[in-house]
Amino acid sequence: MQVLYFAWLRERVGVGSEEVDPGPATTAAELIEELKRRDPRYSAAFADVSAIRVAVDQKMVALDSPISEAREVAFFPPVTGG
Amino acid sequence: MQVLYFAWLRERVGVGSEEVDPGPATTAAELIEELKRRDPRYSAAFADVSAIRVAVDQKMVALDSPISEAREVAFFPPVTGG
Amino acid sequence: MSAVSVGPEDFDIGAEIAALTADDREIGAVVSFTGLVREMTAAGALDEMTLEHYPGMTGAALEAIVAEAQERWPLSGVRVIHRVGPLAPGDRIVLVLTASRHREAAFEAAAFLMDYLKTRAPFWKREAGAHGAAWVDAREADDAAAARWGDDRS
Amino acid sequence: MSAVSVGPEDFDIGAEIAALTADDREIGAVVSFTGLVREMTAAGALDEMTLEHYPGMTGAALEAIVAEAQERWPLSGVRVIHRVGPLAPGDRIVLVLTASRHREAAFEAAAFLMDYLKTRAPFWKREAGAHGAAWVDAREADDAAAARWGDDRS
């Protein structure tokens, strides 16, 4: 699946988007844990999960939402537009 | 004192303003009663006192407000601007 | 420039907002309210609406409403323009602008200004059409809207 | 014309209001909200603010917020413009317009649109100045403002 990062999460991960094999992860929260296991960049970026929001296929959802069918998962901090 | 009328009150009285000797009237409500005694035009215009608002010296006040010191008393229906 | 204008002239909303916000880099929020003449009335289609006012009192009444808004909210700028005389359907009647650091103050102050203007400023509307002419009745909804801000009339 | 625009271009508030109200004689009230870049931040004076967004999602998210406003209030027209990219102090960031027969719907819908836009549309602000650069933190006040409309997120 395509995984996207925005704002300071993008800066900490180091890329805006990448193709990711979710492995055993079936929810957005599990995908975060999986990424953290793979590389310390993700551990730093996702250190405070309470500051992370997620959109699955371009809809904002809760972190425990399923991602098995997802084509695109985006992680970002709380929005600050307007 | 100068007495002013606006909107349908002006149309029913027939003038926009006139010099009036208040006679024994000491409040706006008493001035209305005094005018009604003087001419049927006022009786028609002021038939429903609940529909009348008053400003004394260009400030909106209650009908029982004193007018003894007033230079200008204005009668009008509830405002409908904006 | 005074915060209040009353007259027959039309106004330019964009130019008024630009004038209110020029040279102030601490404004984060600007709210505008524009009132327009609607064509359909309860009595039928409108040809002309005439705004009568009390020239000796209108300016001071609007200034008092503006001062009260400035006391209640931290506003960087306020502007009120109200037209008088004959107007046609679609014409602009009134403009209220509020500017503040944050949106809450700008939104609330603009709604407050309109509620108070509708119930405390000496304007009267007369509608004329094929069906005849009539003075507009005050809306009870406007009194209720004004009452929500707490009545401080002495 | 779509109700929603997202891009780097500035907008003309007067022209947008004129476009929204043209040919509709039943509009009695138009409310605009304009958000501007403030110069002073908690960290110091701002040189540049950069708006990042999620291009694949932004348009649909704003359309959903507009649709919800239209469901809740009888609106004759709605317009939302949000800029992205680098902006300077005093620059316009966002425009929300609502048009309705009466002012209550126009005011409430505009406040609702801003509250939801602030908490549900994927934009992020980065502030840069002599003191350095930092991403803006979300305001708890914005969550509280959005919550007052009742949360219908499934």
Side-chain angles (χ1 to χ4, degrees):
Chain A
M1 64 184 54
Q2 198 71 14
V3 178
L4 281 65
Y5 311 96
F6 292 98
W8 53 257
L9 207 55
R10 170 177 56 69
E11 293 178 340
R12 291 186 198 173
V13 171
V15 297
S17 71
E18 57 185 346
E19 187 65 30
V20 170
D21 175 351
T26 63
T27 69
E30 289 173 8
L31 179 57
I32 290 174
E33 294 312 309
E34 178 67 20
L35 289 168
K36 284 164 102 171
R37 266 193 291 277
R38 294 184 190 176
D39 193 301
R41 282 184 298 130
Y42 300 104
S43 303
F46 288 100
D48 178 9
V49 176
S50 75
I52 305 296
R53 302 292 179 270
V54 63
V56 172
D57 288 336
Q58 307 177 351
K59 286 210 183 316
M60 282 206 226
V61 294
L63 278 175
D64 60 0
S65 298
I67 56 163
S68 318
E69 312 279 305
R71 286 171 293 104
E72 183 172 305
V73 176
F75 293 108
F76 42 79
V79 301
T80 57
Chain B
M1 64 185 52
Q2 199 70 15
V3 178
L4 281 65
Y5 311 96
F6 291 97
W8 52 257
L9 206 56
R10 171 178 54 72
E11 292 178 340
R12 291 184 199 174
V13 170
V15 297
S17 71
E18 58 186 346
E19 187 64 30
V20 170
D21 173 352
T26 64
T27 68
E30 288 173 8
L31 180 57
I32 290 173
E33 293 313 308
E34 178 67 18
L35 289 167
K36 286 164 101 169
R37 265 192 294 277
R38 295 184 189 176
D39 193 300
R41 280 184 299 129
Y42 300 105
S43 304
F46 289 99
D48 177 10
V49 177
S50 75
I52 305 297
R53 302 292 178 268
V54 63
V56 172
D57 288 337
Q58 307 177 351
K59 287 210 183 313
M60 282 207 225
V61 294
L63 277 175
D64 60 0
S65 298
I67 56 163
S68 316
E69 312 279 304
R71 286 170 293 104
E72 185 172 305
V73 175
F75 294 108
F76 41 80
V79 301
T80 57
Chain C
M1 183 179 60
S2 167
V4 167
S5 300
V6 177
E9 305 81 18
D10 194 10
F11 48 81
D12 178 329
I13 305 169
E16 293 294 338
I17 292 177
L20 195 73
T21 55
D23 308 320
D24 186 343
R25 295 273 177 277
E26 297 315 314
I27 294 174
V30 183
V31 169
S32 79
F33 176 88
T34 310
L36 304 171
V37 179
R38 285 186 291 123
E39 184 159 47
M40 282 309 297
T41 72
L46 185 81
D47 290 328
E48 187 175 87
M49 167 179 283
T50 305
L51 260 297
E52 179 169 326
H53 76 128
Y54 180 174
M57 179 181 162
T58 316
L62 292 176
E63 298 277 8
I65 295 168
V66 166
E68 187 157 348
Q70 285 170 321
E71 217 166 273
R72 289 180 180 226
W73 289 277
L75 300 176
S76 314
V78 182
R79 182 88 172 102
V80 175
I81 304 176
H82 203 298
R83 297 177 71 188
V84 294
L87 298 172
D91 279 358
R92 284 175 278 268
I93 305 169
V94 61
L95 176 69
V96 162
L97 297 182
T98 54
S100 188
R101 290 171 59 81
H102 296 292
R103 72 186 186 285
E104 295 81 0
F107 267 123
E108 287 185 17
F112 168 88
L113 285 162
M114 280 307 304
D115 288 346
Y116 269 38
L117 189 157
K118 287 255 181 193
T119 52
R120 300 190 178 194
F123 294 98
W124 300 272
K125 286 183 182 133
R126 185 172 174 277
E127 297 175 336
H131 55 283
W135 292 92
V136 172
D137 282 329
R139 287 171 74 212
E140 279 177 32
D142 288 331
D143 288 328
R148 71 187 156 133
W149 304 105
D151 193 65
D152 66 327
R153 250 183 286 205
S154 54
Chain D
M1 182 180 62
S2 167
V4 168
S5 300
V6 177
E9 305 81 17
D10 194 10
F11 47 80
D12 178 330
I13 305 170
E16 293 294 338
I17 292 177
L20 194 73
T21 55
D23 309 319
D24 186 342
R25 295 273 176 276
E26 297 316 314
I27 294 174
V30 182
V31 169
S32 79
F33 176 88
T34 310
L36 304 171
V37 179
R38 284 187 292 123
E39 184 159 49
M40 282 308 298
T41 72
L46 185 82
D47 291 329
E48 187 176 88
M49 168 179 281
T50 305
L51 261 296
E52 179 169 326
H53 75 127
Y54 181 174
M57 180 180 163
T58 317
L62 292 176
E63 298 277 7
I65 295 168
V66 167
E68 188 157 347
Q70 285 170 321
E71 216 166 274
R72 289 179 181 228
W73 289 278
L75 301 175
S76 313
V78 182
R79 182 87 172 103
V80 175
I81 305 177
H82 204 299
R83 296 178 71 189
V84 294
L87 299 172
D91 279 359
R92 285 175 277 268
I93 306 169
V94 61
L95 177 69
V96 162
L97 297 183
T98 54
S100 187
R101 290 171 58 80
H102 295 292
R103 72 187 187 285
E104 295 83 359
F107 267 123
E108 288 184 17
F112 168 88
L113 285 161
M114 280 307 303
D115 287 346
Y116 269 39
L117 188 157
K118 287 252 180 193
T119 52
R120 300 191 178 193
F123 295 99
W124 300 272
K125 287 185 182 132
R126 185 172 175 277
E127 297 175 336
H131 55 283
W135 292 93
V136 173
D137 283 328
R139 286 171 76 213
E140 279 178 31
D142 287 332
D143 287 329
R148 70 186 157 134
W149 303 106
D151 193 66
D152 64 327
R153 250 183 285 206
S154 54

